[in-house]
Amino acid sequence: MTHAVKHHPGIPLLEQYIEGTLEADIALAVAAHIDLCPHCQQLCQDLTAEQGLQLELTAPTSSMDSTDFDGMLADILAEAPLEPSATTTKQATHVQVQLKDKTFTVPRALARLVKQQTKWTQLGSIATNKLPAGDKRHVSLLYIDKDTAIPQHTHKGLEITLVLSGQIVDEQGSYGVGDLLINTPDDTHTPRTLPDEDCLCLSVLSAPLQFNKGITRLLNPLQHLFY
Ligand SMILES: [Zn+2]
């Protein structure tokens, strides 16, 4: 049985994603979510069609002129050879990430970055792998072993987490594969994994996490692990 994705980016973010106005590292998380979410794949198709329709409606009527139409048709036909290559790239749907003896499958949207992944940095049962993406935010793969809690923290900026494998539970609910969590500076949470299942996430952070409890001396290395 496949897990039903419950937490989506929402229409405004999807619209910005389609328009190409979303910042690159947020767009990356949204693209990876779409790869995992049939619901948002459908929404994107509908929104794209809607935008196409709007363009058609606003187009000047003179474009119905037969010579222009021939030109448009020629343009469309000229672009046609792109089709087959688009289909072939679809075959490489998933990419694999290796961590010690474990192998995780991650969405196609992350393929280019995962190929450039660096070394895993491990601290206890948490490991991160910083990906060379975005300059405003820190993008990383985040591995959390089973039965592990990340100390309670708030966010100085935006925290986007996309679950790629396993599950995360926090005060607000539980998140499975494909679920996208967006936390802002107003949110405080203590994410943890299930007692018998580890977890891999994509994490996009615009500022370091701020831990609320515990000894700073011990939490500092943890902060560096994430950011
Ligand atoms: Zn979705």
Side-chain angles (χ1 to χ4, degrees):
M1 197 182 75
T2 48
H3 162 85
V5 180
K6 289 177 295 181
H7 301 268
H8 308 274
I11 302 271
L13 274 186
L14 283 182
E15 277 177 341
Q16 288 177 56
Y17 172 74
I18 293 165
E19 286 162 7
T21 51
L22 213 53
E23 286 177 54
D25 28 22
I26 299 178
L28 181 74
V30 171
H33 168 84
I34 293 168
D35 276 351
L36 295 169
C37 180
H39 171 75
C40 286
Q41 282 164 21
Q42 184 60 50
L43 263 179
C44 275
Q45 275 181 22
D46 295 348
L47 289 169
T48 309
E50 223 170 84
Q51 283 187 0
L53 202 63
Q54 276 169 12
L55 280 177
E56 238 169 70
L57 289 173
T58 52
T61 40
S62 63
S63 71
M64 292 304 283
D65 182 275
S66 63
T67 37
D68 279 353
F69 182 72
D70 286 346
M72 278 165 65
L73 194 64
D75 284 349
I76 292 163
L77 290 174
E79 281 172 24
L82 285 175
E83 283 293 324
S85 66
T87 346
T88 35
T89 49
K90 264 191 183 164
Q91 286 169 0
T93 318
H94 295 295
V95 201
Q96 298 202 315
V97 169
Q98 202 80 32
L99 174 62
K100 287 179 186 166
D101 55 338
K102 294 170 203 288
T103 304
F104 296 98
T105 302
V106 301
R108 189 168 50 98
L110 303 176
R112 189 182 56 82
L113 283 176
V114 162
K115 278 184 199 140
Q116 303 171 53
Q117 63 179 296
T118 51
K119 252 179 43 204
W120 286 92
T121 310
Q122 191 171 358
L123 190 73
S125 44
I126 302 170
T128 55
N129 194 320
K130 290 191 177 127
L131 300 177
D135 41 15
K136 281 191 199 151
R137 297 182 185 82
H138 287 222
V139 179
S140 47
L141 291 171
L142 166 64
Y143 171 82
I144 314 166
D145 207 350
K146 61 185 180 192
D147 203 18
T148 302
I150 292 175
Q152 191 192 73
H153 59 269
T154 48
H155 312 91
K156 288 180 200 162
L158 197 65
E159 180 196 59
I160 299 178
T161 309
L162 174 68
V163 181
L164 301 174
S165 171
Q167 258 190 69
I168 283 186
V169 181
D170 73 4
E171 292 86 338
Q172 276 80 46
S174 69
Y175 312 88
V177 175
D179 280 333
L180 190 75
L181 295 78
I182 302 178
N183 285 296
T184 65
D186 299 329
D187 301 311
T188 297
H189 69 159
T190 318
R192 60 176 307 120
T193 48
L194 296 179
D196 55 356
E197 194 179 17
D198 55 5
C199 174
L200 184 76
C201 300
L202 176 76
S203 162
V204 180
L205 285 175
S206 64
L209 301 182
Q210 191 159 23
F211 294 103
N212 305 326
K213 290 174 181 167
I215 307 157
T216 317
R217 179 170 52 85
L218 297 178
L219 292 176
N220 266 343
L222 196 58
Q223 205 160 41
H224 285 296
L225 191 67
F226 283 95
Y227 196 75

